[in-house]
C-alpha cells in the first residue's frame, strides 16, 4: 500500500519511543504535523522560537526519559535551532532533528528555504541524512537514532523533502526497530587490573566525574567508599554524584574548585576520571594538573590523553567499566581510616565555605547562600534544577547541593546563554510529577524568556528564578581586573513583571533575605496550580565565586611577562585616571 513519508515518519518516531517533538510548522512540514496530531503517544509542542525548541529537546534527552526531537522547517528553522543543536553536540546529548526539505521533484530553483542544510549542520551533528525515497524513511530514522545514542551521544539530522510527504509512494517492507543500543566495553582485563592496582596502592586516590558518569553514581559511590577517596564533579556532571554523600567534595578541581574539593585533591596521587573530557570549564581553564597516575574511563576514545596523558585508558560505558573495575578492586586496608579522615575534612571545609558566604554582607540584597539554602530545604530530592550560563551558574554549582542523578542540567561546553527557560519546559514535560526550577541570569532571560508563554500554554508549573543584577555579570566581573570598566555588559532596564504578565506567568519578587521563605512558599503553591512562576530575585553578586576567581588568576598567570605588564599597566592607569 502506498504511504506518505509523513505517515512513515510518524510510525518510526512512535517505534523509537519519541514522546514530544518541538518546533514550528511551515509549508515544508505541515503533513508531518498533521500526522503527529493523530499520534496517541507523541505530542507535538509548538514553541515560540526553534532555538528554544532545541533547548527543550535537549532537556528532554538529559532527563533520560525519551529522545528529544525537533520537527522544524528547513533553513530558517534550522539556523534558529542551531544553537541548541550545537549545545547538544558539545555536551554529548542525543537529539533527533527532523526538517522538511524543498521539493526535489520539480526541478525548480530558488525555492523558499533553499539552502544546503547539511552543510550548515555538518560540524554540529554526528550525522545528516537526506531521505530520497519512501522506502528509506523508516530505516533512515532508525539509523539516525542509533548514531545519536551510540558511543558519545549527540544530535543527528534528517531532511525529508516535502514532495515525499505530500505524494504517497511505495514504502517497501517495514523494517523492525532494533531497539536501544547495547553499550559494550572495549578494555582488556589487564588494563582493568592495572587500574585497580594503581588505585589500591595510592596514598591519596580521588575520583573526578562528568556527565558521562551520570548513570553510574552507584558504582562511583562503591569505588569511592572502598578506597576512602573523595569525589569531585565537572559542571555538567554536577549531578553525577549525590552532594549528600560524605565523600562528595563538590565542584571542580584546583583553585577554581570549592575549598572542599581543592583540599581533598591537593595531594591526589592517583585519579580515576569518569565520563569527562578534561575540557576548559571542567578543569577551571586547565588550572589543575592531574597526577601521572591518571585512569581515564570514557565511551569516546578520542578524549584519552587529549589534554592530560592517561596512564590507563578504559574505553566503554561508565557503568559497565566501573562494574568490572569494582570486581577487580581488592579490599583496601587503608580505605576505612582514609574514608573517615577524608569525609571529616570535606564536612569541615563545606561548613566553613557556607559560613563564609553567609557572613558576607549582601547590603540589603539577597545573599546567594541564603537563597540556595532555603531553596534546597524547600525542594524535593528528586527535583530538577536547570541553569543558564553566567555567574548564577557557578553560584548554583558551588552553593546548591544536588541529590539526584540528572537532577541538574546546564549548557556547558557550547556554553549557550538562553538555555534555562526553554530547558525547564523540556525537563518538566519529561518529568511532569517532579519539581523543576530554573535559575537564569537577567541577560540570558532576555534571549528566550518569552518561552514562558509556551509553559503557560502547556500548563506547566515550572518556577524560574531570575537573578537580577542588571549586568552580564560573568563577563562584567572578568572585565573588572584587566579593563577596569564594563563595556557592553550593563543591561538597560526591563520590566520583568511585565514579561510575566504578558506571558501568563505568576510573578513574585524577592528583594532581600527576609523575603526568601515567603516567596518560595508562594512560588511552589502557584506552580502546583500548573502555572509557570517567574521570581525576580534582587541577588547580590558582590562576592565572587571560587570558579571566577580561580579562572581569572589562572588565565592572568599564563600570560608572558610583556602581556602581563601591559594588562596590569592599563588596569593601574585606568584606576588612577578613573
Ligand atoms: C549566546 C551567548 N552569548 C554570549 C555569551 C557570553 N557570556 C557568558 S556568561 C555571560 C553573562 C550572562 O549574563 P546574565 O545572563 O545576566 O547572567 P549573570 O552572569 O549576570 O548571572 C555572557 C554574556 C554566551 N555564553 N552565550
Ligand atoms: Mg546578570
Amino acid at each position: 500500500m502506498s504511504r506518505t513519508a509523513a505517515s512513515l515518519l510518524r510510525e518510526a518516531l512512535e517505534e523509537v519511543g519519541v514522546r514530544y517533538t518541538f518546533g514550528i510548522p511551515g509549508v515544508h512540514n505541515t503533513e508531518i504535523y498533521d500526522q503527529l496530531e493523530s499520534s496517541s503517544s507523541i505530542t507535538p509542542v509548538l514553541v515560540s522560537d526553534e532555538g528554544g525548541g532545541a533547548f527543550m529537546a535537549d532537556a528532554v534527552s538529559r532527563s533520560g526519559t525519551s529522545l528529544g526531537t525537533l520537527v522544524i522547517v528547513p533553513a530558517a528553522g534550522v539556523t534558529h535551532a542551531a544553537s541548541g543543536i550545537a549545545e547538544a553536540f558539545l555536551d554529548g546529548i542525543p537529539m533527533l532533528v527532523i526538517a522538511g526539505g524543498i521539493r526535489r521533484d520539480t526541478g525548480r530553483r530558488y525555492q523558499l528555504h533553499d539552502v544546503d542544510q547539511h552543510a550548515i549542520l555538518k560540524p554540529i551533528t554526528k550525522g545528516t541524512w537526506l531521505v530520497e525515497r519512501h522506502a528509506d524513511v523508516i530505516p533512515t530514522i532508525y539509523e539516525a537514532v542509533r548514531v545519536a545514542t551510540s558511543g558519545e551521544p549527540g544530535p543527528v539530522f534528517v531532511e525529508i523533502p516535502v514532495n515525499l510527504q505530500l505524494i504517497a509512494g511505495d514504502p517497501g517492507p517495514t523494517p523492525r526497530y532494533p531497539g536501544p543500543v547495547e553499550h559494550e566495553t572495549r578494555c582488556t582485563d589487564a588494563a582493568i587490573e592495572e587500574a585497580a592496582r594503581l588505585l589500591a596502592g595510592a596514598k591519596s586516590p580521588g575520583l573526578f566525574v562528568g556527565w558521562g558518569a551520570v548513570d553510574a553514581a552507584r558504582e562511583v559511590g562503591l569505588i569511592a567508599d572502598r578506597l576512602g577517596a573523595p569525589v569531585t564533579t565537572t559542571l555538567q556532571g554536577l549531578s553525577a554524584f549525590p552532594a549528600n554523600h560524605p565523600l562528595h567534595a563538590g565542584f571542580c578541581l584546583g583553585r577554581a574548585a570549592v575549598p572542599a574539593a581543592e583540599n581533598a585533591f591537593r595531594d591526589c596521587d592517583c585519579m580515576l576520571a569518569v565520563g569527562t573530557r578534561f575540557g576548559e570549564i571542567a578543569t577551571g581553564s586547565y588550572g589543575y594538573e592531574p597526577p601521572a597516575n591518571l585512569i581515564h574511563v570514557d565511551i569516546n576514545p578520542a578524549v584519552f590523553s587529549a589534554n592530560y596523558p592517561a596512564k590507563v585508558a578504559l574505553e566503554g560505558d561508565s557503568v559497565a567499566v566501573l562494574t568490572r573495575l569494582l570486581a577487580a578492586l581488592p579490599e583496601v586496608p587503608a580505605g576505612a581510616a582514609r574514608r573517615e579522615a577524608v569525609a571529616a575534612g570535606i564536612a569541615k571545609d563545606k561548613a566553613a565555605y557556607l559560613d563564609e558566604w553567609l557572613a558576607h554582607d549582601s547590603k540589603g540584597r539577597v545573599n546567594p547562600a541564603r537563597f540556595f539554602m532555603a531553596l534546597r530545604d524547600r525542594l524535593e530530592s528528586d527535583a530538577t534544577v536547570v541553569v543558564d550560563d553566567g555567574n548564577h551558574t557557578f553560584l548554583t554549582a558551588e552553593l546548591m547541593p544536588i541529590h539526584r542523578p540528572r537532577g541538574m542540567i546546564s549548557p556547558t561546553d557550547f556554553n549557550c546563554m538562553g538555555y534555562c527557560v526553554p530547558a525547564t519546559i523540556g525537563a518538566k514535560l519529561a518529568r511532569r510529577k517532579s519539581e523543576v526550577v530554573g535559575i537564569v541570569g537577567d541577560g540570558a532571560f532576555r534571549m528566550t524568556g518569552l518561552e514562558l508563554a509556551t509553559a503557560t500554554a502547556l500548563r506547566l508549573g515550572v518556577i524560574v528564578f531570575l537573578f537580577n543584577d542588571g549586568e552580564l555579570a560573568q563577563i562584567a566581573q572578568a572585565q573588572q581586573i584587566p579593563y577596569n570598566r564594563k563595556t557592553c555588559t550593563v543591561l538597560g532596564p526591563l520590566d520583568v513583571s511585565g514579561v510575566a504578565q504578558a506571558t501568563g506567568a505568576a510573578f513574585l519578587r524577592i528583594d532581600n533575605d527576609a523575603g526568601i521563605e515567603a516567596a518560595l512558599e508562594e512560588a511552589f503553591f502557584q506552580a502546583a496550580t500548573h502555572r509557570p512562576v517567574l521570581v525576580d530575585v534582587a541577588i547580590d553578586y558582590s562576592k565572587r565565586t571560587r570558579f571566577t576567581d580561580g579562572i581569572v588568576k589562572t588565565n592572568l598567570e599564563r600570560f608572558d611577562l610583556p602581556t602581563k605588564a601591559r594588562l596590569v599597566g592599563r588596569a593601574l592607569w585606568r584606576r588612577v585616571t578613573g
Side-chain angles (χ1 to χ4, degrees):
M1 194 184 67
S2 276
R3 288 177 64 186
T4 67
S7 116
L8 293 163
L9 172 65
R10 167 185 158 190
E11 181 180 325
L13 296 183
E14 286 173 345
E15 282 294 314
V16 166
V18 169
R19 288 178 54 210
Y20 298 99
T21 67
F22 301 93
I24 299 181
V27 290
H28 296 84
N29 64 16
T30 47
E31 283 289 327
I32 299 175
Y33 269 92
D34 195 64
Q35 282 289 331
L36 293 174
E37 182 67 15
S38 308
S39 173
S40 56
S41 56
I42 302 173
T43 306
V45 173
L46 170 62
V47 301
S48 306
D49 178 293
E50 289 89 349
F55 293 138
M56 292 177 206
D58 165 299
V60 166
S61 285
R62 288 190 208 225
S63 303
T65 53
S66 67
L67 177 63
T69 302
L70 290 177
V71 174
I72 53 182
V73 301
V78 165
T79 51
H80 273 204
S83 295
I85 297 170
E87 188 68 63
F89 183 68
L90 285 196
D91 289 1
I93 306 301
M95 182 187 289
L96 176 58
V97 182
I98 295 162
I102 58 162
R103 289 193 77 132
R104 305 264 167 182
D105 59 341
T106 59
R108 294 284 189 201
R109 296 183 60 198
Y110 311 122
Q111 292 183 45
L112 177 68
H113 294 322
D114 185 1
V115 295
D116 183 351
Q117 319 191 66
H118 302 267
I120 293 172
L121 290 177
K122 191 162 182 286
I124 53 171
T125 54
K126 287 183 77 182
T128 79
W129 289 262
L130 168 65
V131 174
E132 290 178 291
R133 302 180 313 148
H134 291 84
D136 292 340
V137 175
I138 294 179
T140 303
I141 295 295
Y142 292 169
E143 175 59 8
V145 170
R146 188 191 67 74
V147 171
T149 54
S150 56
E152 183 183 328
V156 291
F157 173 63
V158 180
E159 171 179 343
I160 305 185
V162 65
N163 49 297
L164 298 184
Q165 301 173 37
L166 292 164
I167 304 162
D170 178 11
T174 309
R176 231 171 46 84
Y177 176 52
V181 179
E182 293 285 330
H183 294 292
E184 28 182 314
T185 55
R186 282 185 222 278
C187 43
T188 62
D189 285 342
I192 294 272
E193 274 152 30
E194 166 76 349
R197 194 182 60 73
L198 290 173
L199 284 166
K203 276 205 176 64
S204 184
L207 284 77
F208 179 46
V209 296
W211 180 260
V214 80
D215 293 323
R218 189 180 154 271
E219 291 73 16
V220 167
L222 288 170
I223 293 174
D225 273 332
R226 191 169 302 175
L227 295 170
V231 182
T232 178
T233 76
T234 65
L235 176 65
Q236 198 186 336
L238 208 73
S239 68
F241 196 65
N244 46 5
H245 189 291
L247 292 170
H248 172 273
F251 165 57
C252 213
L253 289 165
R255 58 153 62 123
V258 290
E262 183 183 23
N263 293 335
F265 281 75
R266 194 178 300 280
D267 302 318
C268 179
D269 59 348
C270 181
M271 172 179 280
L272 174 61
V274 188
T276 171
R277 303 184 296 197
F278 288 96
E280 182 164 1
I281 290 195
T283 56
S285 268
Y286 314 107
Y288 173 88
E289 199 69 31
N293 284 347
L294 171 62
I295 300 152
H296 199 169
V297 178
D298 207 284
I299 202 160
N300 177 4
V303 308
F304 297 136
S305 302
N307 282 330
Y308 303 103
K311 176 68 98 12
V312 184
L314 302 174
E315 180 186 341
D317 169 67
S318 51
V319 174
V321 174
L322 295 185
T323 303
R324 282 174 66 190
L325 184 57
L326 204 53
L329 196 62
E331 283 306 322
V332 183
R338 196 159 53 210
R339 187 180 194 282
E340 295 267 299
V342 169
I346 288 173
K348 188 165 140 278
D349 287 344
K350 280 188 175 179
Y353 191 50
L354 184 60
D355 285 348
E356 181 188 312
W357 270 95
L358 293 173
H360 179 73
D361 181 2
S362 286
K363 302 215 162 52
R365 293 178 68 88
V366 176
N367 180 298
R370 271 199 203 287
F371 171 82
F372 283 116
M373 259 174 80
L375 181 62
R376 182 65 278 171
D377 273 356
R378 179 60 192 71
L379 206 59
E380 284 165 11
S381 272
D382 77 336
T384 306
V385 177
V386 182
V387 296
D388 212 288
D389 176 43
N391 189 46
H392 59 281
T393 313
F394 300 102
L395 286 172
T396 310
E398 295 186 4
L399 299 171
M400 177 73 189
I402 303 294
H403 296 155
R404 177 182 74 81
R406 297 175 183 266
M408 188 271 201
I409 58 176
S410 62
T412 308
D413 282 342
F414 190 66
N415 215 232
C416 194
M417 285 169 69
Y419 180 83
C420 176
V421 173
T424 56
I425 293 173
K428 184 71 177 174
L429 285 170
R431 305 183 88 247
R432 273 179 189 269
K433 296 214 168 74
S434 355
E435 295 171 342
V436 176
V437 300
I439 313 286
V440 67
D442 44 359
F445 181 75
R446 292 170 186 231
M447 295 184 173
T448 52
L450 280 185
E451 294 291 356
L452 278 175
T454 308
T456 301
L458 296 168
R459 303 192 67 245
L460 297 178
V462 294
I463 306 173
V464 173
F465 295 99
L466 187 149
F467 277 20
N468 202 338
D469 70 315
E471 293 186 355
L472 302 171
Q474 187 66 19
I475 305 304
Q477 289 182 359
Q479 285 173 327
Q480 230 149 18
I481 295 176
Y483 307 113
N484 197 26
R485 63 185 182 199
K486 298 171 182 173
T487 303
C488 280
T489 47
V490 177
L491 296 163
L494 177 75
D495 179 354
V496 178
S497 69
V499 179
Q501 194 189 357
T503 56
F507 179 74
L508 298 163
R509 183 174 277 134
I510 306 180
D511 291 320
N512 49 42
D513 290 347
I516 297 175
E517 305 280 340
L520 287 184
E521 203 53 46
E522 178 65 14
F524 281 92
F525 175 79
Q526 291 279 352
T529 67
H530 308 291
R531 183 179 183 201
V533 186
L534 179 61
V535 187
D536 187 5
V537 185
I539 198 77
D540 168 39
Y541 273 179
S542 63
K543 180 172 164 57
R544 292 212 207 130
T545 60
R546 289 274 305 200
F547 184 82
T548 300
D549 265 346
I551 59 166
V552 168
K553 282 190 193 124
T554 295
N555 281 304
L556 285 179
E557 267 179 28
R558 204 175 283 139
F559 288 124
D560 60 11
L561 212 56
T563 311
K564 256 189 229 168
R566 185 176 69 82
L567 292 178
V568 172
R570 180 174 63 189
L572 288 176
W573 178 248
R574 285 193 181 158
R575 213 139 292 174
V576 174
T577 56

